[in-house]
Amino acid sequence: MANHSKQAAYLLGGIIAALALWGIYLALGSYLGMGEGTRGYDIRRGLVVIACMGGFLLFWGVLLWNRNRSRSSDDQ
């Protein structure tokens, strides 16, 4: 059972890391503004993307934390 729990933690950590890296990649692309009709470098676009990804990960983390907390209180 402990092995299953450790594997689940590694999987969850990998998913969180992949989403964070994807958010950084998107923020860098929006900062550079290489599309038509966009100015060059604008830090605000990158910050908006990072803030949205951070908010999503924070919301997801709170939901997972609340789920684990309710499961552990049911076991007692």
Side-chain angles (χ1 to χ4, degrees), residues 29-59:
S30 65
Y31 164 72
L32 293 175
M34 298 174 131
E36 282 188 40
T38 59
R39 293 187 284 138
Y41 308 111
D42 189 0
I43 191 72
R44 293 173 295 179
R45 291 189 304 238
L47 290 176
V48 167
V49 173
I50 288 291
C52 289
M53 182 58 75
F56 171 75
L57 288 174
L58 181 65
F59 178 71

Side-chain angles (χ1 to χ4, degrees), residues 4-76:
H4 176 70
S5 174
K6 193 179 279 191
Q7 287 177 347
Y10 286 143
L11 180 62
L12 184 61
I15 291 171
I16 290 171
L19 285 172
L21 287 173
W22 183 50
I24 291 168
Y25 176 72
L26 291 176
L28 182 63
S30 65
Y31 164 72
L32 293 175
M34 298 174 131
E36 282 188 40
T38 59
R39 293 187 284 138
Y41 308 111
D42 189 0
I43 191 72
R44 293 173 295 179
R45 291 189 304 238
L47 290 176
V48 167
V49 173
I50 288 291
C52 289
M53 182 58 75
F56 171 75
L57 288 174
L58 181 65
F59 178 71
W60 192 39
V62 167
L63 289 177
L64 288 172
W65 173 76
N66 192 27
R67 178 177 157 213
N68 284 339
R69 194 174 65 130
S70 67
R71 277 189 176 182
S72 65
S73 67
D74 288 344
D75 290 342
Q76 294 178 357

